[in-house]
Structures are given as structure tokens and as C-alpha cells.
Amino acid sequence: MLTLPWIILFLPLLAALGITLATRQNQKLSANLSIGAIGIGFVLSLLLFIRYLFNDGAVPEQVITWLDVGSLKVSFGICLDSLSILMLLVVTGVGGLIHWYSQAYMAGDKSYSRYFASLSFFTFSMLGIVLATDFMQMFVFWELVGVSSYLLIGFWFEKPSAADASKKAFLTNRIGDFGFLVGIIMIWGVAGTLSFTELKRLIVEKPEALGTFATMAGLLVFCGAIGKSAQFPLHVWLPDAMEGPTPVSALIHAATMVAAGVYMLCRVFPIFTPDALMVIAWIGGITALLAALMALQQDDIKRILAYSTLSQLGYMVMAVGVHAPAAAMYHLTTHACFKALLFLGAGSVIYALHHKQDIWQMGGLRTKMPTTYWTFLVGTSALCGVFPLSGFFSKDAILASAADTIHGGNGILFGIGILVAMLTTWYMLRLFLVTFHGKARTNAAEKAVESPSVMRVPLVILAVASAIAGFIGIEGFTSRDLGIEFHSEHNHAVLAMAFNLLALMFGVSVAFTLYWKAETDPVERHHGMLSSVLRNRFYIDEIYEFFILITHETLSYIAAWVDRWVISGLMVRGAHGAADLTGRVLRMFQTGNLQTYAFLFVIGIALVIYVIIGRHVL
């Protein structure tokens, strides 16, 4: 049993290497290697989950010394607790279904084998984050996830938009990762350890262990999550990441990259001070609201789901900030199921419509694609928080935790949570009604047929998971390893449930009023300025571009001037010119004439005598 987590971790890496080095020309074998590796990983993860339950959670941490330099001791190990085992099931389970689905979606692509090699490497990188025992190991795999996302988002690199999106994702994450690295260094400098277990023990025994740097270190670590989980103000990369293949979008949004930031916050939750948690809560709340507003006027089916992911990640981060990491992990797990379902459902629609993604070019698909329709309805309902689907329970847990902030005189976060719940229902029903109901708006929609069974089976499995995941008891399962007490009944659960129900009903009413059998968007038609602001994402990308022009571009021009005139001109060419001139002057004295040399010799002796006599006289 002790070797199982190592097998789960390294199987995808071996699959990626095998595909790259040996089976690249055999597409079917490459896909089977990738799917087999993650499939075996899921089965072994289930065995670890069963063992964990029967052993009452007692699983020893496996650690080997990786680096030992002076006081710096870095280990490479396996951490098996409720958080990591839950994430193993999410990554291998949801990820496995996405791998399976990809067989049909990517069929005929010239880089089919490269796609599956990249998927396996992405899976390996995420599993490394999940099983990490300390900050250094996590950071290494954190960066590998960044590389993997770069490869997959830019998979169709011949498209300029895909290449730009991959660079944008990579560079934006480097900003957050820089803060993350500085935070790690600061924690090591103050605490003398990077081990999660040692840090937790140290902080429990001595809450002030990190001293005056505690809040700053916590917020710098949080910068990593701002990048990976696409929180404001580094959220701008995630919608553009839709340029990758749709299964990649499902994997990034559901089971891997964006989940890494939330998982990291929960894993290191004890290091955050109350002040740091308050900042985290507000960043999450602001992100949830901004993204929900942006989603209202997007027309690309994948971008609507992308902004939905941003909003739901904001919910999770807000949950961590209001001292409810168990609720955050709860929503992360249920969200992985229904968001993967929604993205794969969107992929089914895109596949049937020959890669059209504008919802206003769809319509009437309810009868033509029944399996996609009903499974998409389940995913939409779960995301909106319809009882008794999984999203109802996990979202209610977050809202109930946010409602507890009312005791501190701050009910704004709870209000934001309720408003986001209403907006979620609004934009998701807009997507659902325009895509599947009404009449077909294009010839492609008129001739659409249901996707092949290899794509439909994962949709059905994910629909079942989205329906029942709320009953598994995930919040209580993770609570003990998070170092918090779990209460099955919140003081404000009834308040949260009532307001959530009102938000759901209001959102349904607005969406049906505006979009039932609508041919064009009434918001754009009657409120053009508001629609333009939302459609252009509050012009945040344009604002960033402006500041890049006046800062980055200005600095580049200054650097070019210094390089040309100071370094190359004055220092390099100046030194070269001075040496050349000196050489030319000295060469004038090398005449080959004996009389000239005798004359110079006499002058030299005269100068020496003058200096010596002059010194004695003075």
C-alpha cells in the first residue's frame, strides 16, 4: 500500500515519456497509454481512499531527503490525508473521463499523440502538487503545471490567438508565482522549515511563530493562488485560455490548474493570520462578482463557462477567507464534477456544429442532441444551486460561512455571495435557453446530430456525479485534517438557504423573461452601453495594455538607449577607441631608426634625473 501513491504519481509521467519517445506515430496506442495511466491511478486512489477510511485516517507521511544544504533541508515525499486523497480522486476521476472523451473530440488531429502526451504530463504535475509534503516540492510541481498549461493552451500554436493566449497565461502566472516564491523564502527564513506538517505543529504550539512577518508572508503565498486560480487582478488569462481544445478547458477549469490555488490555500491554511484571511475573503468576493457580471454578456459558449469558473473560484477563495476551508474543498469537489460536465457538454455542441462557439448561432438543439441536452441541464442546475443537486449543498455551505461574518458587523460578503448566486442563474439560463431552445438559427444547428457514444458516456457519468456528490459528506471528511471543527448545522444555514432560494427564483425569472425564444440579446438591444462594458470585461485588459505601454514600453526604450549609447557607445566602443588611439600613438615611436631610439633614451634619462633632483630640492 505504501507504494501506491508513488505509482499514481509517476504513471502519467511514464505515459508522457513513452508517447513522446516511442509511440508518437501510433495514435491509438498513445491514447491508450495516457488513458490507461490515469485510469489505473483512479483505481489505486479508490484503494487508498478505502484504506484511509478503515484505518481511521492514520496514514504515515513518506519522505526522502532531496536537498540538504546547511540549515536548508528539502524533502520529496508523499502526504496522504483527507485533502490529498480527495484531490487524488478528483484529478484521476474527472481527469480520466476527460481523457476518455478526448479520443473522439481530437480524432483526426495531426498532433493527436502530442496532445495525449501533454495531458499526461499535466496530470503528473497536478498530482505532484496534491501529494507534496512541503513548500519546495509544491513549488516545483506548481511551475510544471504552468509549463503544462502553456503546452496545452497553445496546443494549436499555428493559430496566433492560441499562441498569444498561452503566452498570456504563462506570463500572468509568473507574476503571481514570484510573490509565492518570495513568501516561501520568507517563511523559511523566519520558521526555519518548509514542511507543511512542521509548520502546522509550530503554529499550533506557538501562534506567533512567524512573528511580524506572518501577514505579509501569508499574502505573498496567496499571490500564487491569485495567479493559478485566476483571482482579481490576475484573472485576465483564464478566459483567453479557451483557445485550447475544449477537453483541455475542461481539465484546466475542473480538475487541475485552477483548482491548485484553492487546494494550496486549504493545505497551508494555518499560516494565514486574521488580517490575511480578510484580504483573501475580499479578493474572492470581488472576483466572484466581477466575473459573474462579465459572463452576462458573453456570446462564446466556452467563455461564458470560463467566467463562470472565475466566479465559482471566487466563492471558494472567499470561503477560505471567512475561515471555512472545508466548505471551499467541498465546493471545489462538486464544482469539478459539474463544470467538467458543462465544458464537455459545450464540446459536444461545438463538435456537432463543426466548431461554431457563438450561442446565437445555435438554438433548437434540445431534440437533436437529447443526451447532451439533459446532461447539460443537470450541470446547469447543479451550478445554479438547485436542490437536491451537489451545487446546492456546497454553495450553501459557503454562503452559510459568509453569513457568519454578519456577527463581525460585515454582511457585505454575504450580500455579494447572494448577488453572485442570482447572476449565476441568470447567465447560465441565458446560455442554456439560447443554445438548446427556440429554433435553429444556422444551417449547422439545423443539421446537428448527437455526438458519438465515446463522448456521451463521460457526460452521463459526470451528470450522475454532479447529482449525488452533495450527499457524500465531503466537508466533514476534510475538516479534521484542516485543523478546524466541522459543524453540520451553521447558525446561519437557514438564512443562507432562504436567500439562496430567493436569488435562484429571481435569476430564473429574469432569464426566462429576457431569453425565452429570443432571437437577439435584449440587453444589448436596449442597454447598449451597459452591454458594451460587460462584453468588454470592464475594459480591464485594455487598462492593463495602456499601463504596459507607458511603463514596460517606456522602460524598454530607456534600456535600449542606455544599451546603445552608454554600454555599446561609451563603454564598449569608447574603450575600444581609446585602446586603438593609444596603440596608434605608441606605434609612432617604433620607427626602426637607431638615432631616434638614442634620442628618446636621452630624454628619458633627463626626465628621471629631473624628477629625482626636483624631489630632493622640494
Side-chain angles (χ1 to χ4, degrees), residues 164-401:
D164 290 342
S166 64
K167 288 186 288 186
K168 185 176 183 179
F170 189 80
L171 294 174
T172 303
N173 274 274
R174 299 290 70 73
I175 298 172
D177 292 355
F178 176 75
F180 188 23
L181 181 60
V182 173
I184 291 173
I185 294 172
M186 187 176 292
I187 289 173
W188 173 68
V190 175
T193 181
L194 295 175
S195 167
F196 298 141
T197 302
E198 289 298 315
L199 280 171
K200 182 178 179 181
R201 180 189 58 78
L202 185 64
I203 293 172
V204 168
E205 293 177 356
K206 188 180 179 183
E208 68 279 4
L210 297 180
T212 57
F213 295 101
T215 298
M216 184 183 297
L219 290 177
L220 285 169
V221 167
F222 175 53
C223 286
I226 292 177
K228 279 290 183 289
S229 290
Q231 298 296 285
F232 178 82
L234 299 182
H235 64 283
V236 293
W237 69 267
L238 189 57
D240 289 353
M242 298 302 97
E243 292 294 335
T246 300
V248 169
S249 302
L251 194 63
I252 289 175
H253 285 250
T256 53
M257 187 170 180
V258 298
V262 177
Y263 173 77
M264 182 270 287
L265 293 179
C266 295
R267 168 61 70 195
V268 301
F269 181 74
I271 73 169
F272 297 115
T273 64
D275 290 339
L277 288 173
M278 182 56 66
V279 173
I280 291 172
W282 277 104
I283 291 292
I286 291 170
T287 304
L289 180 58
L290 280 178
L293 289 170
M294 293 173 187
L296 291 176
Q297 284 295 288
Q298 302 302 312
D299 294 334
D300 186 308
I301 187 171
K302 289 173 63 176
R303 281 185 177 266
I304 296 171
L305 296 177
Y307 283 107
S308 171
T309 299
L310 280 175
S311 185
Q312 299 304 306
L313 288 168
Y315 262 140
M316 299 173 210
V317 171
M318 185 176 73
V320 174
V322 296
H323 303 263
M329 287 299 299
Y330 191 7
H331 198 52
L332 185 154
T333 306
T334 61
H335 178 265
C337 296
F338 54 72
K339 187 51 63 70
L341 170 60
L342 289 169
F343 265 108
L344 297 187
S348 179
V349 171
I350 294 169
Y351 182 85
L353 271 65
H354 308 292
H355 295 276
K356 292 185 184 297
Q357 297 183 195
D358 190 334
I359 60 174
W360 295 102
Q361 295 181 9
M362 300 176 186
L365 299 179
R366 179 175 63 88
T367 56
K368 299 178 177 64
M369 307 180 69
T371 303
T372 301
Y373 171 79
W374 288 108
T375 54
F376 205 94
L377 177 60
V378 172
T380 300
S381 302
L383 176 56
C384 294
V386 174
F387 179 85
L389 303 179
S390 59
F392 169 82
F393 298 100
S394 57
K395 186 183 291 186
D396 187 65
I398 293 176
L399 292 175
S401 301

Side-chain angles (χ1 to χ4, degrees), residues 572-586:
V572 176
R573 292 193 180 93
H576 161 267
D580 181 65
L581 180 62
T582 303
R584 290 176 182 274
V585 171
L586 293 176

Side-chain angles (χ1 to χ4, degrees), residues 297 514 521-535:
Q297 284 295 288
L514 292 175
D521 195 319
V523 175
E524 183 180 10
R525 192 166 61 248
H526 298 297
H527 305 281
M529 183 175 294
L530 175 62
S531 174
S532 179
V533 170
L534 299 179
R535 194 177 297 276

